[in-house]
Amino acid sequence: MEEKFDVLNELGEFTGKIATREECHTKGLWHRAVYAFIIDDNENILLQKRSANKKLWPNMWDVTVGGHVDSGEFGRQALIRETKEELGIEINDDDIKYLVGSTSINNQGNIINKHYNECYLITKNIDISEIIVQQEEVSEVRYFSKGEVLERIANNYDGLTEKTGV
């Protein structure tokens, strides 16, 4: 089934229109996305490596989980769904803390990605051996220390996506 998203205007307001993923990305229509970082009790950050077949940022380390918000869906619902789909991890509303909203525009090839993003934090100890990755989306997961992530960012992002690649 083809994904459908609520179309927003440049101010982030709902327009009442719904478009497919392809329409949003070829026409540059504003739509919603969510992403989250899972951090364990030792302040290690769980990141995912995007699969080689991803159109944007293949084989790059990215946020723990992320995805589009389907039409009629709340951001938190999308995050719970995406976490289960991409990593096989069950989370609930109590696990999620809203951090910040932002916008992003990414133009690569024939993809014009205009997002209103919701960023969340999930504080949870996850055993990597229990993660079941969605292979079309994710090739690997790994914990990074805060220092490792900051060092990669300082070193021109060294293998990390610069922006969410949702």
Side-chain angles (χ1 to χ4, degrees), residues 10 24 29 37 40 51 62 78 87 97 103 106 110 128 140:
E10 61 279 350
C24 287
L29 303 175
F37 294 94
D40 70 11
S51 78
D62 201 358
L87 304 176
K97 304 237 181 322
T103 59
N106 301 302
N110 61 350
I128 289 181
E140 182 182 350

Side-chain angles (χ1 to χ4, degrees), residues 116-146:
Y116 272 86
N117 303 299
E118 296 176 24
C119 178
Y120 295 89
L121 174 66
I122 301 166
T123 305
K124 193 171 182 120
N125 292 316
I126 304 292
D127 182 346
I128 289 181
S129 69
E130 295 177 8
I131 292 176
I132 303 166
V133 299
Q134 182 182 21
Q135 293 184 348
E136 313 82 67
E137 300 279 334
V138 181
S139 64
E140 182 182 350
V141 292
R142 183 182 139 206
Y143 276 108
F144 289 80
S145 71
K146 182 172 68 173

Side-chain angles (χ1 to χ4, degrees), residues 45-50 57-64 138-144 152 157-163:
I45 306 161
L46 184 65
L47 297 181
Q48 67 163 267
K49 190 173 198 179
R50 296 169 62 82
W57 301 286
N59 296 313
M60 300 287 283
W61 288 101
D62 201 358
V63 297
T64 310
V138 181
S139 64
E140 182 182 350
V141 292
R142 183 182 139 206
Y143 276 108
F144 289 80
R152 283 174 177 260
Y157 287 87
D158 188 22
L160 301 173
T161 60
E162 292 181 41
K163 300 177 184 171

